[in-house]
Amino acid sequence: MLRRYLERFNWLDFILLMFRVVILVAIAIGIFNSVRAAKYTDNQWATLVFAGLAQGSIYALIAMGYTLVYGILLMINFAHGEIYMAGALTVVFIAHIFNDSGFLNAQPLLAILIMIVIAAAVSTILNVVVERLAYKPLRGAPRLVPLITAIGASFALQYTFRGLYGAQYRAYPEVKALRELVTVFGYKVPLVQLVVPASALVLMLGLYFFVERTKMGKAMRSVSEDKDVARLMGINIDRVIVITFALGGALAGAAGVFNGLFRPQGINFYMGFFPGLKAFTAAVLGGIGNIAGAMVGGVFLGLLESLGPNLILEGLGIPSVNQLKDALSFTMLVLILIFRPQGIFGERLAEKKA
Amino acid sequence: MNNQIGPNWRTIVRFGLIGGVVALYLSVIGMVEAFSARNLIGTFITLAQILIFGGPFVAGYLTAREFKDKPRTTIILCGLAAGAMASIFQVMLILIAHAVDLRFMFVSISPGLMEILTFGQGQYLGSLILAALSAVMGAIGAGYFLLPGTISRTLTSAVVVTLGVGLFSENVNQILSSNWLSLIGGRSVARLLIQQKSLNPIVALVLFLAVGGLTYWRATRAKAQVESDDESPATGRQKRFRTVMLIIAIGALLGLPWIVGRFLSQVLFMVGLYIMMGLGLNIVVGYAGLLDLGYVAFFAFGAYTMGVITSASPLGLTNLNFWIALPICAIVGVLTGFVLGVPVLRMRGDYLAIVTLGFGEIIRILALSDWLAPFIGGAQGILHIPYPSIAGFQFKTPEWMYYLVIIGSLLAGFLTIRLRESRLGRQWMAMREDEDVAEAMGINLVQTKLLAFAIGAAFSALAGGIFAARLGTIFPHTFNLLWSINALSLIIVGGMGSIPGVMVGALILVGLPELLREFQEYRLLMYGILLVVMMLVKPEGFVPAARRQQELRAHAKESAVGTAAD
C-alpha cells in the first residue's frame, strides 16, 4: 500500500497539496481568531455584506463579457476592463449635465436609465470596433497572439481615453434618492446597495434568457460547442462573434454606471484595469463560459473582497488589512487558476481548453 | 455598381474616410497639439504637421494603388479627392468646436489645437486651407505612387533622414555644445546647424539634397554592378574589414558616454537595463514560450535584495558591498523564479499570463503594505543604498553606471547565446512548439520550465540590483506593471527569441521616448498600438529569429490552406 503510494509519489503534487493545506489552515485560523475576538458588531458585518453584494454584482456584470467571449473564441479579452472604463468615464460628463440641470434628482429613474443606455452604447460600439480592428484578423492564429494583441489594445484604449478626457479623476454626482436608508432584515442599508444588485440581476437574467431562449443565443451556444460544425449548419460565425462582443460591451457599460452610482469616488482612465482582472477572476471562479457561474463568481469575489480583510487577515494579526484588499482578490485569482481552473461548477469547455 | 469605367468613387471615399478618422483621432487625443512643440525644420515644419497631413498622404497613396491601371491624370485626381475627403472630419471638428464648447469633455480640443488646425486663419478660411492642403497632400501621395522605384526610394530616404535629424536636433545640439566637443568648436557648429531647437532650413535643404543624391548614386551604381559582375566569394579583405568594424564598434561602445553627455548616458543606462531584462524575458517568453506578465516581480526582488543587503539606513541588514550583493541578487532571483514557477508548472498559455500578472501585483501590494513595512519600508521604501565602488572610486554618475550595465547586458547576451545553442535551449524550443510532443520525446517539462523561469528571473533580478544601486532609493510604486509591459513590448517589437531584436527593441521603445519628451505622455499609447500592429502585420518582429519566422510562416500557410478548404 505504502509502496504503491510512494511509487506514484510526485513531488510537484506534494508541494501543491502542502500549499493548499497551508492556505486553508491560514484561512481557518484567521476566521477563528476574528470571530472569537468579536471586534465588529453584526451591524458592521451586515454593512460589509451589502457593500460586497453590490460590488460583486458589478464584477459579475463585467465578468459576463469575459465569459461570453472566452466561451466562443477561447480568448481572454484583456481589454474588456477598458471597455467598462469607456462607458463609465463617458457618462460622467452626461451625469454632470443632468445634475446641473436638476434632471438627475428630479427624475432619477429616467436619468439613470438614459445614462445606462448611453454607457452601454459607448462600450458596445467600442468593443465591436476593437473586435473588428484587432481580433478579427487573428482568427486561427496561435493562442498567445490574440492575447498579446488584447494586452496592446488594453493599453491603447487606456491612453486613448487619457488623451480624450484627460488624466484627472472625475466623480459621479450624488443621486439623493439613492442615498436614502432602507431597512432590510432589520439592518439599515443605503438604497443604492439594493438597486445595483437588483438591476444587475435583471440584466444578467436578460442575458441568460437571450442565450438560452432566442435563436441568436442558440447560434452562440452552437458556435461555442464547435465552430466548424456551426458554420456547416449555416450559422454566420462572424455575426455571432460581433453580437457576443456587443452584448459583453453593453453589460460592461451598464456596470460602469452602476459603479459610479455605488461608489461616487473619482474615476479616471485607469479605473478599468483592476476591476477587469477581478471580473476575469469571477468568470474563472464560476467556470469560464458559464453565465450563471460568472454571476455567482462575481458575487463571491465581491463578498470576499469586502469581508475578507476583516474576517481572514485581521485574525492573522496583519496590520492595516484594508491595504491588502486587492492582494486578496489577486490571491484568489492565482489560487483558482492554479487549483481549480475549471471553476466552482466545472466547465463546459474543459476538453477544448487544454 | 459604378466600377465599369473611371474610378470607383467608393474606394476613394473609403480610403479618404480612413485617413480622416486617423487624423481626427490624433487631433482629439491631443497628440497634434503636444507634438506641435517639436519643430523639425525652421519653425514652420513641426511634428504636428506630419500628423495632420500623414492621413491625407497615405489615403492618396492607397487610392492610387487601387487605381494603378488608370491614366495618370485620373490617378492624381483620385488622390486629390481622397486627400480632400481625409480632411472632412477635421473640418467638421473645427466648425463644431467653434460653435459649441467641447472642452469640458474633450480636454484636448483646445484653442491651441484650433490654432494649429486652422493655421491661425479663423474657422472658415482655415478650414478651406486645411482642406486644400489635404487635397494637395493626397495628390502628392498619389503622385508618389506613380514615381519610378529608384526616385521614390531616393526621395523617401532623403525625407526620412532630414526629418529624423530635425527630430533629434535638440539632442544633437546637446551633444555638440556639452563637454569636450564644445572645446573644439562644437558649439559654433551647433549654432550653424540648429536654430530655435530645430534644423536650420538651409542646412535641411543641403542635407536633403546630399542624402538624396547619395542614395540615387548608390541605387544606380548598385544596378550597374548587378548587371556587370556576379557575387564574389568572401575574401580576406572582407574578413579584415569585419575585424576593423568590430574594433570600431567596441571603441564606440566604450567611448559613448563621454561623447553624448550625462543625460544621454542615463538614457543609455536605461536602454542597457532593459536589454538585460529583455534578454531574460526573452528566455521565458521567446524560447520557452511561457508568457510571463509578472516579470517585474523578479526585478523588484533584485532591487529589494540589493536594498536590504547594502542599505546604510536602519532597514539594511548588512553592509556588504555592491559586488558581493550583486550575485546574491541573482541567487535570490533564481530562488524566486523557482518559488513562483512551481505553482504554475501545470498551466499553459493565457492562464499562465494572468497568474503571473497576479503574482506581480500581489508582490507590489505586499511591498506597499504596512504589514511588511518593518522589513522593507512599506511606502517609504528603502533609502541610502550606496553606489557601487572599486577601491574608493564610486560609480556615482550615469556615465560610469553605463559601463556596469553594458557589462551586465553583454554577459546576459553571451549567456543567452550559449543557452540557446545548448541542450537546454533546444528543449525550451521543443517545449514551446508542443508540450505534449516534447514530453513524449523525453523532455522533463518540470525541470525545463523551472530552469526557464529561474534563469529569466536571475537576469531580471540582476538588472533590479543595478537599478537599486543607481537610484540609491527604491519605492514599491516604482515596480508597477509597466515594467513588465515595456519588457514584453520590446521583445515583441524586436522579435521573440531574437537577441539582436531585444537590443533593437530596447533602443526603439526605451531610447526614443526618453529622447523625445512629447512622446513620454503617449508612450504607452504607442506601445499598445505597436503591440496590436505588430501582431497583425509582423508577428515575428523587426529583427526576427530565423526559426521563429519559419514557424509563423508555416502556420500562416497552414491556416490559409485551412480557410481555403472551408
Side-chain angles (χ1 to χ4, degrees):
Chain A
M1 185 68 197
L2 185 71
R3 223 180 99 202
R4 193 185 287 167
Y5 176 75
L6 281 179
E7 262 169 17
R8 288 192 7 217
F9 178 79
N10 178 338
W11 64 268
L12 184 58
D13 286 333
F14 179 73
I15 293 178
L16 291 182
L17 182 71
M18 283 296 107
F19 197 44
R20 235 188 267 212
V21 169
V22 167
I23 286 166
L24 287 179
V25 168
I27 292 176
I29 294 176
I31 293 179
F32 179 72
N33 285 344
S34 305
V35 170
R36 206 182 48 175
K39 194 171 153 191
Y40 301 100
T41 62
D42 33 324
N43 251 323
Q44 281 167 315
W45 286 119
T47 315
L48 287 178
V49 168
F50 281 110
L53 274 178
Q55 186 62 57
S57 57
I58 291 168
Y59 290 152
L61 274 179
I62 310 171
M64 294 296 142
Y66 283 104
T67 230
L68 287 173
V69 168
Y70 200 94
I72 286 182
L73 286 180
L74 293 183
M75 169 201 145
I76 300 176
N77 182 8
F78 203 84
H80 195 64
E82 271 57 63
I83 303 293
Y84 156 77
M85 171 273 289
L89 203 53
T90 306
V91 168
V92 169
F93 300 98
I94 313 280
H96 276 286
I97 295 175
F98 285 174
N99 191 39
D100 294 344
S101 65
F103 179 52
L104 187 63
N105 281 314
Q107 294 280 348
L109 187 65
L110 188 62
I112 290 171
L113 269 180
I114 295 175
M115 276 154 60
I116 290 175
V117 168
I118 294 175
V122 169
S123 295
T124 303
I125 292 170
L126 196 65
N127 213 9
V128 170
V129 167
V130 170
E131 195 274 334
R132 176 69 193 80
L133 291 181
Y135 306 149
K136 196 178 175 195
L138 291 173
R139 302 271 159 78
R143 285 278 287 281
L144 285 187
V145 170
L147 179 63
I148 293 172
T149 312
I151 294 170
S154 168
F155 279 88
L157 286 176
Q158 269 179 33
Y159 285 84
T160 297
F161 278 87
R162 182 179 194 260
L164 274 181
Y165 298 145
Q168 64 269 54
Y169 284 86
R170 295 172 191 278
Y172 267 77
E174 286 224 346
V175 186
K176 290 194 186 73
L178 287 177
R179 292 285 138 198
E180 277 166 24
L181 294 176
V182 280
T183 317
V184 191
F185 305 126
Y187 300 111
K188 281 202 156 56
V189 183
L191 186 62
V192 67
Q193 293 189 2
L194 300 178
V195 169
V196 166
S199 355
L201 188 68
V202 169
L203 285 177
M204 285 185 281
L205 284 179
L207 178 73
Y208 186 78
F209 281 108
F210 180 83
V211 172
E212 295 293 328
R213 291 292 149 83
T214 63
K215 207 167 176 186
M216 196 64 212
K218 209 177 198 174
M220 283 167 71
R221 279 179 291 140
S222 68
V223 172
S224 81
E225 287 296 329
D226 191 322
K227 242 181 252 155
D228 295 324
V229 176
R231 191 181 288 143
L232 288 176
M233 297 294 129
I235 293 170
N236 183 345
I237 299 214
D238 285 329
R239 217 176 92 113
V240 169
I241 291 173
V242 167
I243 296 218
T244 308
F245 272 86
L247 283 174
L251 291 189
V257 177
F258 290 148
N259 180 66
L261 297 176
F262 166 55
R263 292 195 312 182
Q265 292 100 319
I267 52 174
N268 78 344
F269 70 99
Y270 196 63
M271 72 170 286
F273 193 76
F274 285 140
L277 274 180
K278 289 174 186 167
F280 176 72
T281 313
V284 180
L285 260 172
I288 198 152
N290 181 342
I291 291 177
M295 235 186 279
V296 178
V299 171
F300 179 80
L301 199 71
L303 287 176
L304 176 81
E305 219 178 61
S306 89
L307 292 176
N310 297 330
L311 187 60
I312 301 170
L313 295 182
E314 207 164 285
L316 294 172
I318 295 170
S320 355
V321 280
N322 277 318
Q323 288 176 339
L324 297 176
K325 211 163 151 181
D326 285 342
L328 210 60
S329 331
F330 290 130
T331 310
M332 190 72 224
L333 169 75
V334 169
L335 292 180
I336 194 82
L337 284 178
I338 291 173
F339 292 117
R340 208 172 157 76
Q342 69 272 42
I344 305 172
F345 304 116
E347 181 187 13
R348 292 193 316 185
L349 310 146
E351 74 280 14
K352 250 195 288 179
K353 241 209 65 255
Chain B
M1 217 195 208
N2 214 356
N3 51 1
Q4 49 288 51
I5 310 164
N8 186 341
W9 54 275
R10 288 186 171 199
T11 322
I12 301 176
V13 171
R14 197 172 82 224
F15 286 124
L17 291 187
I18 290 174
V21 168
V22 171
L24 180 73
Y25 174 81
L26 294 174
S27 302
V28 174
I29 63 168
M31 240 171 169
V32 168
E33 196 185 358
F35 284 13
S36 69
R38 177 65 72 162
N39 293 332
L40 297 183
I41 297 166
T43 49
F44 47 91
I45 296 187
T46 69
L47 208 50
Q49 261 116 21
I50 304 222
L51 292 184
I52 297 173
F53 295 121
F57 180 84
V58 174
Y61 182 84
L62 291 177
T63 315
R65 209 172 60 179
E66 290 291 307
F67 292 107
K68 55 175 175 273
D69 305 326
K70 301 279 182 290
R72 290 186 162 219
T73 39
T74 321
I75 295 181
I76 298 278
L77 282 177
C78 290
L80 197 75
M85 281 302 291
S87 70
I88 201 160
F89 287 116
Q90 282 178 312
V91 169
M92 272 157 64
L93 176 71
I94 294 171
L95 298 179
I96 292 173
H98 190 79
V100 256
D101 180 24
L102 295 173
R103 227 188 150 185
F104 80 99
M105 190 159 173
F106 301 103
V107 288
S108 302
I109 304 180
S110 60
L113 175 70
M114 288 303 125
E115 187 80 14
I116 296 162
L117 287 183
T118 57
F119 307 94
Q121 302 296 324
Q123 40 165 337
Y124 299 115
L125 185 61
S127 304
L128 276 180
I129 297 177
L130 182 69
L133 282 178
S134 297
V136 171
M137 282 312 285
I140 293 177
Y144 184 77
F145 176 78
L146 290 175
L147 289 175
T150 331
I151 296 180
S152 72
R153 237 168 292 146
T154 308
L155 270 178
T156 312
S157 51
V159 168
V160 168
V161 170
T162 313
L163 293 182
V165 174
L167 192 59
F168 295 109
S169 50
E170 206 168 318
N171 302 109
V172 174
N173 190 8
Q174 225 168 29
I175 292 173
L176 285 176
S177 49
S178 71
N179 55 48
W180 56 271
L181 273 174
S182 65
L183 296 181
I184 54 169
R187 200 167 297 231
S188 44
V189 175
R191 210 169 296 141
L192 180 73
L193 292 179
I194 290 150
Q195 286 177 346
Q196 304 184 340
K197 293 183 176 181
S198 74
L199 209 56
N200 187 334
I202 300 161
V203 176
L205 190 67
V206 172
L207 190 67
F208 180 83
L209 290 177
V211 174
L214 199 69
T215 333
Y216 188 73
W217 178 68
R218 273 188 55 185
T220 45
R221 213 188 62 162
K223 215 186 250 173
Q225 245 179 14
V226 168
E227 280 157 11
S228 68
D229 61 2
D230 300 4
E231 54 196 277
S232 47
T235 56
R237 206 176 122 223
Q238 266 178 329
K239 231 177 227 169
R240 226 172 304 141
F241 178 69
R242 231 176 255 171
T243 326
V244 172
M245 285 307 281
L246 193 68
I247 291 172
I248 292 176
I250 291 174
L253 211 57
L254 290 179
L256 212 49
W258 308 105
I259 299 171
V260 298
R262 178 153 298 175
F263 171 70
L264 287 177
S265 295
Q266 172 63 23
V267 174
L268 287 172
F269 170 78
M270 287 310 289
V271 171
L273 209 61
Y274 267 109
I275 289 178
M276 284 180 76
M277 287 183 74
L279 285 170
L281 190 62
N282 188 37
I283 289 179
V284 186
V285 181
Y287 293 164
L290 307 163
L291 185 55
D292 184 350
L293 293 181
Y295 197 58
V296 64
F298 307 120
F299 185 71
F301 267 110
Y304 268 100
T305 307
M306 178 60 77
V308 168
I309 291 179
T310 64
S311 168
S313 71
L315 290 171
L317 294 179
T318 60
N319 280 323
L320 288 179
N321 76 33
F322 174 81
W323 307 103
I324 302 173
L326 204 56
I328 298 179
C329 289
I331 293 168
V332 168
V334 169
L335 290 180
T336 46
F338 276 125
V339 170
L340 295 187
V342 167
V344 299
L345 280 173
R346 295 268 164 79
M347 232 168 251
R348 343 182 148 180
D350 37 14
Y351 276 20
L352 176 78
I354 303 287
V355 168
T356 47
L357 177 66
F359 277 147
E361 284 306 313
I362 292 172
I363 283 164
R364 188 179 60 86
I365 295 168
L366 287 182
L368 251 173
S369 71
D370 292 350
W371 182 30
L372 298 179
F375 312 104
I376 55 173
Q380 273 80 47
I382 299 182
L383 313 174
H384 306 301
I385 301 167
Y387 294 110
S389 61
I390 299 179
F393 176 77
Q394 285 196 321
F395 285 55
K396 252 185 192 161
T397 59
E399 286 97 321
W400 287 104
M401 287 304 280
Y402 163 82
Y403 287 114
L404 199 60
V405 91
I406 283 292
I407 293 169
S409 41
L410 284 179
L411 186 74
F414 174 73
L415 279 176
T416 315
I417 293 172
R418 296 300 298 162
L419 282 168
R420 187 185 60 189
E421 307 301 337
S422 71
R423 188 186 165 82
L424 182 60
R426 292 196 303 277
Q427 288 181 335
W428 281 335
M429 287 178 221
M431 190 173 75
R432 175 185 73 199
E433 293 321 312
D434 194 319
E435 279 192 12
D436 298 327
V437 174
E439 196 167 22
M441 291 289 138
I443 291 174
N444 182 348
L445 286 185
V446 169
Q447 189 187 327
T448 315
K449 272 193 189 178
L450 278 183
L451 279 174
F453 274 122
I455 295 172
F459 284 11
S460 184
L462 269 182
I466 295 175
F467 180 71
R470 163 81 189 94
L471 288 192
T473 47
I474 45 175
F475 304 104
H477 284 295
T478 316
F479 303 101
N480 54 22
L481 177 72
L482 299 181
W483 287 86
S484 309
I485 298 296
N486 287 356
L488 182 70
S489 309
L490 76 89
I491 65 170
I492 283 168
V493 168
M496 272 194 254
S498 147
I499 296 168
V502 171
M503 297 176 185
V504 172
L507 276 173
I508 297 177
L509 291 190
V510 183
L512 279 189
E514 297 276 347
L515 291 187
L516 305 169
R517 297 184 306 286
E518 295 87 359
F519 280 48
Q520 286 287 11
E521 203 169 322
Y522 296 97
R523 178 178 186 159
L524 282 154
L525 176 69
M526 291 201 230
Y527 281 14
I529 292 175
L530 206 56
L531 277 185
V532 176
V533 171
M534 289 304 288
M535 285 294 120
L536 293 180
V537 184
K538 222 170 154 35
E540 71 270 22
F542 281 127
V543 194
R547 205 176 296 182
R548 184 93 192 150
Q549 194 172 17
Q550 284 167 358
E551 290 155 22
L552 284 162
R553 286 279 153 74
H555 189 93
K557 227 178 260 169
E558 228 169 71
S559 59
V561 171
T563 37
D566 283 343

